mmCIF file of all heavy atoms in Angstrom:
data_model
loop_
_atom_site.group_PDB
_atom_site.id
_atom_site.type_symbol
_atom_site.label_atom_id
_atom_site.label_comp_id
_atom_site.label_asym_id
_atom_site.label_seq_id
_atom_site.Cartn_x
_atom_site.Cartn_y
_atom_site.Cartn_z
ATOM 1 N N PHE F 1184 0.821 -1.225 -0.004
ATOM 2 C CA PHE F 1184 0.009 -0.017 0.015
ATOM 3 C C PHE F 1184 0.864 1.268 0.015
ATOM 4 O O PHE F 1184 0.452 2.302 -0.525
ATOM 5 C CB PHE F 1184 -0.996 -0.029 1.173
ATOM 6 C CG PHE F 1184 -0.507 0.348 2.475
ATOM 7 C CD1 PHE F 1184 -0.248 1.689 2.860
ATOM 8 C CD2 PHE F 1184 -0.271 -0.603 3.435
ATOM 9 C CE1 PHE F 1184 0.175 2.002 4.078
ATOM 10 C CE2 PHE F 1184 0.157 -0.274 4.740
ATOM 11 C CZ PHE F 1184 0.349 1.067 5.040
ATOM 12 N N GLN F 1185 2.122 1.193 0.530
ATOM 13 C CA GLN F 1185 2.950 2.364 0.411
ATOM 14 C C GLN F 1185 3.354 2.602 -1.053
ATOM 15 O O GLN F 1185 3.408 3.754 -1.490
ATOM 16 C CB GLN F 1185 4.233 2.117 1.277
ATOM 17 C CG GLN F 1185 3.969 2.139 2.774
ATOM 18 C CD GLN F 1185 3.732 3.503 3.356
ATOM 19 O OE1 GLN F 1185 3.642 4.531 2.644
ATOM 20 N NE2 GLN F 1185 3.521 3.529 4.714
ATOM 21 N N LEU F 1186 3.632 1.515 -1.804
ATOM 22 C CA LEU F 1186 3.976 1.644 -3.183
ATOM 23 C C LEU F 1186 2.790 2.162 -4.001
ATOM 24 O O LEU F 1186 2.983 3.038 -4.923
ATOM 25 C CB LEU F 1186 4.504 0.306 -3.742
ATOM 26 C CG LEU F 1186 5.034 0.308 -5.138
ATOM 27 C CD1 LEU F 1186 6.252 1.199 -5.260
ATOM 28 C CD2 LEU F 1186 5.395 -1.159 -5.565
ATOM 29 N N ILE F 1187 1.606 1.697 -3.713
ATOM 30 C CA ILE F 1187 0.438 2.192 -4.428
ATOM 31 C C ILE F 1187 0.233 3.655 -4.170
ATOM 32 O O ILE F 1187 -0.051 4.455 -5.051
ATOM 33 C CB ILE F 1187 -0.791 1.349 -4.012
ATOM 34 C CG1 ILE F 1187 -0.674 -0.077 -4.537
ATOM 35 C CG2 ILE F 1187 -2.071 2.026 -4.617
ATOM 36 C CD1 ILE F 1187 -1.803 -1.014 -4.128
ATOM 37 N N GLY F 1188 0.393 4.052 -2.878
ATOM 38 C CA GLY F 1188 0.291 5.465 -2.554
ATOM 39 C C GLY F 1188 1.304 6.346 -3.226
ATOM 40 O O GLY F 1188 1.046 7.461 -3.714
ATOM 41 N N ALA F 1189 2.572 5.844 -3.327
ATOM 42 C CA ALA F 1189 3.648 6.581 -4.012
ATOM 43 C C ALA F 1189 3.343 6.734 -5.546
ATOM 44 O O ALA F 1189 3.653 7.768 -6.104
ATOM 45 C CB ALA F 1189 4.950 5.907 -3.810
ATOM 46 N N LEU F 1190 2.749 5.689 -6.128
ATOM 47 C CA LEU F 1190 2.503 5.792 -7.580
ATOM 48 C C LEU F 1190 1.291 6.577 -7.930
ATOM 49 O O LEU F 1190 1.276 7.292 -8.935
ATOM 50 C CB LEU F 1190 2.345 4.327 -8.152
ATOM 51 C CG LEU F 1190 3.596 3.453 -8.141
ATOM 52 C CD1 LEU F 1190 3.271 2.028 -8.610
ATOM 53 C CD2 LEU F 1190 4.669 4.066 -9.053
ATOM 54 N N THR F 1191 0.252 6.461 -7.109
ATOM 55 C CA THR F 1191 -1.001 7.156 -7.422
ATOM 56 C C THR F 1191 -1.087 8.569 -6.752
ATOM 57 O O THR F 1191 -1.941 9.359 -7.154
ATOM 58 C CB THR F 1191 -2.193 6.313 -6.961
ATOM 59 O OG1 THR F 1191 -2.138 6.093 -5.565
ATOM 60 C CG2 THR F 1191 -2.164 4.991 -7.690
ATOM 61 N N GLY F 1192 -0.291 8.827 -5.742
ATOM 62 C CA GLY F 1192 -0.370 10.106 -5.083
ATOM 63 C C GLY F 1192 -1.434 10.127 -4.005
ATOM 64 O O GLY F 1192 -1.529 11.199 -3.274
ATOM 65 N N THR F 1193 -2.175 9.099 -3.793
ATOM 66 C CA THR F 1193 -3.238 9.082 -2.755
ATOM 67 C C THR F 1193 -3.047 7.766 -1.945
ATOM 68 O O THR F 1193 -2.691 6.702 -2.456
ATOM 69 C CB THR F 1193 -4.632 9.039 -3.368
ATOM 70 O OG1 THR F 1193 -4.795 7.962 -4.248
ATOM 71 C CG2 THR F 1193 -4.903 10.343 -4.116
ATOM 72 N N VAL F 1194 -3.261 7.870 -0.614
ATOM 73 C CA VAL F 1194 -3.106 6.773 0.210
ATOM 74 C C VAL F 1194 -4.287 5.824 0.068
ATOM 75 O O VAL F 1194 -5.460 6.276 0.175
ATOM 76 C CB VAL F 1194 -2.938 7.175 1.669
ATOM 77 C CG1 VAL F 1194 -2.876 6.015 2.632
ATOM 78 C CG2 VAL F 1194 -1.733 8.103 1.860
ATOM 79 N N PRO F 1195 -4.150 4.511 -0.207
ATOM 80 C CA PRO F 1195 -5.269 3.588 -0.251
ATOM 81 C C PRO F 1195 -5.837 3.378 1.161
ATOM 82 O O PRO F 1195 -5.282 2.533 1.904
ATOM 83 C CB PRO F 1195 -4.677 2.326 -0.903
ATOM 84 C CG PRO F 1195 -3.206 2.405 -0.565
ATOM 85 C CD PRO F 1195 -2.857 3.842 -0.501
ATOM 86 N N LEU F 1196 -6.897 4.076 1.470
ATOM 87 C CA LEU F 1196 -7.410 4.030 2.863
ATOM 88 C C LEU F 1196 -7.848 2.642 3.270
ATOM 89 O O LEU F 1196 -7.638 2.241 4.434
ATOM 90 C CB LEU F 1196 -8.555 5.065 2.969
ATOM 91 C CG LEU F 1196 -8.194 6.497 2.808
ATOM 92 C CD1 LEU F 1196 -9.428 7.385 2.946
ATOM 93 C CD2 LEU F 1196 -7.168 6.935 3.900
ATOM 94 N N THR F 1197 -8.464 1.931 2.382
ATOM 95 C CA THR F 1197 -8.998 0.615 2.804
ATOM 96 C C THR F 1197 -7.835 -0.330 3.219
ATOM 97 O O THR F 1197 -7.890 -0.992 4.246
ATOM 98 C CB THR F 1197 -9.734 -0.061 1.637
ATOM 99 O OG1 THR F 1197 -10.824 0.791 1.249
ATOM 100 C CG2 THR F 1197 -10.278 -1.417 1.983
ATOM 101 N N LEU F 1198 -6.805 -0.354 2.368
ATOM 102 C CA LEU F 1198 -5.649 -1.193 2.744
ATOM 103 C C LEU F 1198 -4.952 -0.704 4.035
ATOM 104 O O LEU F 1198 -4.524 -1.500 4.812
ATOM 105 C CB LEU F 1198 -4.611 -1.227 1.603
ATOM 106 C CG LEU F 1198 -5.105 -1.867 0.252
ATOM 107 C CD1 LEU F 1198 -4.051 -1.749 -0.773
ATOM 108 C CD2 LEU F 1198 -5.441 -3.276 0.507
ATOM 109 N N MET F 1199 -4.852 0.628 4.163
ATOM 110 C CA MET F 1199 -4.242 1.196 5.373
ATOM 111 C C MET F 1199 -5.024 0.830 6.593
ATOM 112 O O MET F 1199 -4.404 0.429 7.636
ATOM 113 C CB MET F 1199 -4.132 2.680 5.155
ATOM 114 C CG MET F 1199 -3.531 3.413 6.366
ATOM 115 S SD MET F 1199 -3.735 5.211 6.331
ATOM 116 C CE MET F 1199 -5.555 5.292 6.687
ATOM 117 N N LEU F 1200 -6.371 0.953 6.581
ATOM 118 C CA LEU F 1200 -7.164 0.703 7.766
ATOM 119 C C LEU F 1200 -7.135 -0.779 8.149
ATOM 120 O O LEU F 1200 -7.437 -1.126 9.291
ATOM 121 C CB LEU F 1200 -8.560 1.174 7.582
ATOM 122 C CG LEU F 1200 -8.680 2.700 7.422
ATOM 123 C CD1 LEU F 1200 -10.146 3.094 7.069
ATOM 124 C CD2 LEU F 1200 -8.275 3.422 8.700
ATOM 125 N N LEU F 1201 -6.846 -1.726 7.201
ATOM 126 C CA LEU F 1201 -6.780 -3.120 7.523
ATOM 127 C C LEU F 1201 -5.461 -3.574 7.980
ATOM 128 O O LEU F 1201 -5.277 -4.790 8.269
ATOM 129 C CB LEU F 1201 -7.233 -3.932 6.258
ATOM 130 C CG LEU F 1201 -8.726 -3.777 5.861
ATOM 131 C CD1 LEU F 1201 -8.952 -4.569 4.595
ATOM 132 C CD2 LEU F 1201 -9.638 -4.313 6.978
ATOM 133 N N LEU F 1202 -4.515 -2.665 8.141
ATOM 134 C CA LEU F 1202 -3.163 -3.051 8.560
ATOM 135 C C LEU F 1202 -3.159 -3.706 10.005
ATOM 136 O O LEU F 1202 -2.448 -4.656 10.217
ATOM 137 C CB LEU F 1202 -2.253 -1.833 8.568
ATOM 138 C CG LEU F 1202 -0.730 -2.091 8.876
ATOM 139 C CD1 LEU F 1202 -0.175 -3.128 7.902
ATOM 140 C CD2 LEU F 1202 0.042 -0.759 8.798
ATOM 141 N N PRO F 1203 -4.006 -3.230 10.970
ATOM 142 C CA PRO F 1203 -4.009 -3.953 12.229
ATOM 143 C C PRO F 1203 -4.473 -5.362 12.125
ATOM 144 O O PRO F 1203 -4.061 -6.246 12.950
ATOM 145 C CB PRO F 1203 -5.027 -3.075 13.058
ATOM 146 C CG PRO F 1203 -4.949 -1.730 12.495
ATOM 147 C CD PRO F 1203 -4.719 -2.003 10.985
ATOM 148 N N ALA F 1204 -5.327 -5.669 11.169
ATOM 149 C CA ALA F 1204 -5.745 -7.082 11.001
ATOM 150 C C ALA F 1204 -4.572 -7.970 10.609
ATOM 151 O O ALA F 1204 -4.470 -9.083 11.065
ATOM 152 C CB ALA F 1204 -6.892 -7.128 9.934
ATOM 153 N N VAL F 1205 -3.715 -7.427 9.735
ATOM 154 C CA VAL F 1205 -2.530 -8.169 9.346
ATOM 155 C C VAL F 1205 -1.629 -8.408 10.552
ATOM 156 O O VAL F 1205 -1.018 -9.505 10.714
ATOM 157 C CB VAL F 1205 -1.783 -7.496 8.214
ATOM 158 C CG1 VAL F 1205 -0.532 -8.264 7.762
ATOM 159 C CG2 VAL F 1205 -2.698 -7.285 7.013
ATOM 160 N N ALA F 1206 -1.516 -7.414 11.400
ATOM 161 C CA ALA F 1206 -0.683 -7.551 12.596
ATOM 162 C C ALA F 1206 -1.288 -8.621 13.529
ATOM 163 O O ALA F 1206 -0.543 -9.408 14.111
ATOM 164 C CB ALA F 1206 -0.605 -6.244 13.330
ATOM 165 N N LEU F 1207 -2.618 -8.686 13.640
ATOM 166 C CA LEU F 1207 -3.258 -9.703 14.463
ATOM 167 C C LEU F 1207 -2.959 -11.114 13.950
ATOM 168 O O LEU F 1207 -2.836 -12.093 14.716
ATOM 169 C CB LEU F 1207 -4.740 -9.468 14.557
ATOM 170 C CG LEU F 1207 -5.246 -8.455 15.572
ATOM 171 C CD1 LEU F 1207 -6.726 -8.260 15.427
ATOM 172 C CD2 LEU F 1207 -4.953 -8.995 16.987
ATOM 173 N N LEU F 1208 -2.834 -11.252 12.593
ATOM 174 C CA LEU F 1208 -2.501 -12.551 12.019
ATOM 175 C C LEU F 1208 -1.130 -13.069 12.453
ATOM 176 O O LEU F 1208 -0.965 -14.283 12.493
ATOM 177 C CB LEU F 1208 -2.648 -12.504 10.528
ATOM 178 C CG LEU F 1208 -4.058 -12.263 9.909
ATOM 179 C CD1 LEU F 1208 -3.940 -12.194 8.396
ATOM 180 C CD2 LEU F 1208 -4.986 -13.356 10.354
ATOM 181 N N THR F 1209 -0.261 -12.215 12.755
ATOM 182 C CA THR F 1209 1.078 -12.618 13.196
ATOM 183 C C THR F 1209 1.120 -12.976 14.662
ATOM 184 O O THR F 1209 2.152 -13.601 15.101
ATOM 185 C CB THR F 1209 2.152 -11.544 12.908
ATOM 186 O OG1 THR F 1209 1.807 -10.390 13.707
ATOM 187 C CG2 THR F 1209 2.097 -11.077 11.416
ATOM 188 N N LEU F 1210 0.114 -12.614 15.456
ATOM 189 C CA LEU F 1210 0.181 -12.837 16.939
ATOM 190 C C LEU F 1210 0.312 -14.296 17.261
ATOM 191 O O LEU F 1210 1.120 -14.615 18.162
ATOM 192 C CB LEU F 1210 -1.130 -12.224 17.543
ATOM 193 C CG LEU F 1210 -1.261 -12.291 19.023
ATOM 194 C CD1 LEU F 1210 -0.077 -11.587 19.714
ATOM 195 C CD2 LEU F 1210 -2.611 -11.791 19.506
ATOM 196 N N PRO F 1211 -0.450 -15.267 16.707
ATOM 197 C CA PRO F 1211 -0.290 -16.652 17.179
ATOM 198 C C PRO F 1211 1.088 -17.235 16.950
ATOM 199 O O PRO F 1211 1.503 -18.144 17.635
ATOM 200 C CB PRO F 1211 -1.343 -17.348 16.276
ATOM 201 C CG PRO F 1211 -2.344 -16.325 15.898
ATOM 202 C CD PRO F 1211 -1.545 -15.107 15.716
ATOM 203 N N THR F 1212 1.825 -16.639 15.979
ATOM 204 C CA THR F 1212 3.160 -17.236 15.707
ATOM 205 C C THR F 1212 4.122 -17.048 16.874
ATOM 206 O O THR F 1212 4.961 -17.869 17.174
ATOM 207 C CB THR F 1212 3.741 -16.640 14.418
ATOM 208 O OG1 THR F 1212 3.910 -15.286 14.622
ATOM 209 C CG2 THR F 1212 2.850 -16.873 13.209
ATOM 210 N N PHE F 1213 3.935 -15.921 17.650
ATOM 211 C CA PHE F 1213 4.792 -15.676 18.783
ATOM 212 C C PHE F 1213 4.433 -16.750 19.903
ATOM 213 O O PHE F 1213 5.385 -17.192 20.585
ATOM 214 C CB PHE F 1213 4.477 -14.234 19.400
ATOM 215 C CG PHE F 1213 5.076 -13.134 18.525
ATOM 216 C CD1 PHE F 1213 4.378 -12.717 17.427
ATOM 217 C CD2 PHE F 1213 6.277 -12.610 18.851
ATOM 218 C CE1 PHE F 1213 4.876 -11.651 16.673
ATOM 219 C CE2 PHE F 1213 6.822 -11.551 18.074
ATOM 220 C CZ PHE F 1213 6.140 -11.137 16.927
ATOM 221 N N VAL F 1214 3.203 -17.076 20.072
ATOM 222 C CA VAL F 1214 2.830 -18.050 21.047
ATOM 223 C C VAL F 1214 3.341 -19.463 20.662
ATOM 224 O O VAL F 1214 3.944 -20.158 21.525
ATOM 225 C CB VAL F 1214 1.286 -18.072 21.199
ATOM 226 C CG1 VAL F 1214 0.848 -19.138 22.231
ATOM 227 C CG2 VAL F 1214 0.739 -16.725 21.633
ATOM 228 N N LEU F 1215 3.163 -19.795 19.423
ATOM 229 C CA LEU F 1215 3.631 -21.156 18.991
ATOM 230 C C LEU F 1215 5.122 -21.279 19.029
ATOM 231 O O LEU F 1215 5.631 -22.376 19.314
ATOM 232 C CB LEU F 1215 3.156 -21.399 17.552
ATOM 233 C CG LEU F 1215 1.617 -21.592 17.404
ATOM 234 C CD1 LEU F 1215 1.277 -21.700 15.953
ATOM 235 C CD2 LEU F 1215 1.105 -22.785 18.198
ATOM 236 N N ALA F 1216 5.816 -20.163 18.759
ATOM 237 C CA ALA F 1216 7.325 -20.201 18.831
ATOM 238 C C ALA F 1216 7.826 -20.538 20.239
ATOM 239 O O ALA F 1216 8.870 -21.119 20.376
ATOM 240 C CB ALA F 1216 7.875 -18.895 18.322
ATOM 241 N N ALA F 1217 7.080 -20.169 21.253
ATOM 242 C CA ALA F 1217 7.506 -20.403 22.653
ATOM 243 C C ALA F 1217 6.963 -21.741 23.207
ATOM 244 O O ALA F 1217 7.151 -22.004 24.401
ATOM 245 C CB ALA F 1217 7.025 -19.253 23.531
ATOM 246 N N MET F 1218 6.304 -22.540 22.414
ATOM 247 C CA MET F 1218 5.782 -23.808 22.765
ATOM 248 C C MET F 1218 6.568 -24.929 22.095
ATOM 249 O O MET F 1218 7.103 -24.731 20.983
ATOM 250 C CB MET F 1218 4.305 -23.932 22.477
ATOM 251 C CG MET F 1218 3.437 -22.891 23.159
ATOM 252 S SD MET F 1218 1.702 -22.954 22.620
ATOM 253 C CE MET F 1218 1.220 -24.546 23.217
ATOM 254 N N ASP F 1219 6.643 -26.055 22.791
ATOM 255 C CA ASP F 1219 7.398 -27.194 22.229
ATOM 256 C C ASP F 1219 6.582 -27.995 21.207
ATOM 257 O O ASP F 1219 6.099 -29.080 21.470
ATOM 258 C CB ASP F 1219 7.839 -28.154 23.386
ATOM 259 C CG ASP F 1219 8.871 -29.196 22.862
ATOM 260 O OD1 ASP F 1219 9.285 -29.078 21.729
ATOM 261 O OD2 ASP F 1219 9.165 -30.108 23.681
ATOM 262 N N VAL F 1220 6.311 -27.295 20.110
ATOM 263 C CA VAL F 1220 5.481 -27.914 19.007
ATOM 264 C C VAL F 1220 6.250 -27.668 17.689
ATOM 265 O O VAL F 1220 7.146 -26.783 17.657
ATOM 266 C CB VAL F 1220 4.058 -27.361 18.946
ATOM 267 C CG1 VAL F 1220 3.323 -27.751 20.215
ATOM 268 C CG2 VAL F 1220 4.101 -25.861 18.782
ATOM 269 N N GLY F 1221 5.753 -28.313 16.680
ATOM 270 C CA GLY F 1221 6.287 -27.999 15.348
ATOM 271 C C GLY F 1221 7.615 -28.622 14.977
ATOM 272 O O GLY F 1221 8.333 -28.054 14.134
ATOM 273 N N ARG F 1222 8.001 -29.685 15.693
ATOM 274 C CA ARG F 1222 9.296 -30.306 15.288
ATOM 275 C C ARG F 1222 9.156 -31.089 14.010
ATOM 276 O O ARG F 1222 10.143 -31.368 13.339
ATOM 277 C CB ARG F 1222 9.782 -31.251 16.426
ATOM 278 C CG ARG F 1222 10.091 -30.525 17.696
ATOM 279 C CD ARG F 1222 10.643 -31.442 18.802
ATOM 280 N NE ARG F 1222 10.901 -30.729 20.040
ATOM 281 C CZ ARG F 1222 12.017 -30.026 20.275
ATOM 282 N NH1 ARG F 1222 12.937 -29.878 19.354
ATOM 283 N NH2 ARG F 1222 12.142 -29.404 21.426
ATOM 284 N N GLU F 1223 7.931 -31.489 13.678
ATOM 285 C CA GLU F 1223 7.690 -32.173 12.436
ATOM 286 C C GLU F 1223 7.800 -31.146 11.288
ATOM 287 O O GLU F 1223 7.378 -30.048 11.368
ATOM 288 C CB GLU F 1223 6.297 -32.810 12.348
ATOM 289 C CG GLU F 1223 6.074 -33.895 13.495
ATOM 290 C CD GLU F 1223 5.700 -33.271 14.740
ATOM 291 O OE1 GLU F 1223 5.474 -32.047 14.742
ATOM 292 O OE2 GLU F 1223 5.606 -34.040 15.717
ATOM 293 N N ARG F 1224 8.400 -31.605 10.171
ATOM 294 C CA ARG F 1224 8.628 -30.646 9.063
ATOM 295 C C ARG F 1224 7.375 -30.725 8.146
ATOM 296 O O ARG F 1224 6.791 -31.809 7.900
ATOM 297 C CB ARG F 1224 9.860 -31.107 8.281
ATOM 298 C CG ARG F 1224 11.108 -31.219 9.106
ATOM 299 C CD ARG F 1224 11.488 -29.846 9.679
ATOM 300 N NE ARG F 1224 11.813 -28.892 8.661
ATOM 301 C CZ ARG F 1224 12.023 -27.624 8.890
ATOM 302 N NH1 ARG F 1224 11.880 -27.142 10.074
ATOM 303 N NH2 ARG F 1224 12.336 -26.811 7.866
#
């Protein structure tokens, strides 16, 4: 969305406002990383 804003001159508000949702998607990975799981490939 930064690249789209730089090319078009306007900030894509929809993509910008959904950025916290993307951050929430990364939250479970912190929990799983501290648990003894995922040794299988």
Side-chain angles (χ1 to χ4, degrees):
F1184 80 78
Q1185 293 285 4
L1186 186 60
I1187 292 175
L1190 292 174
T1191 61
T1193 58
V1194 177
L1196 293 178
T1197 301
L1198 296 178
M1199 178 194 70
L1200 294 174
L1201 290 177
L1202 185 58
V1205 180
L1207 275 174
L1208 293 177
T1209 65
L1210 181 62
T1212 62
F1213 287 83
V1214 179
L1215 293 175
M1218 299 174 65
D1219 190 8
V1220 295
R1222 296 185 183 276
E1223 300 82 6
R1224 305 296 296 170

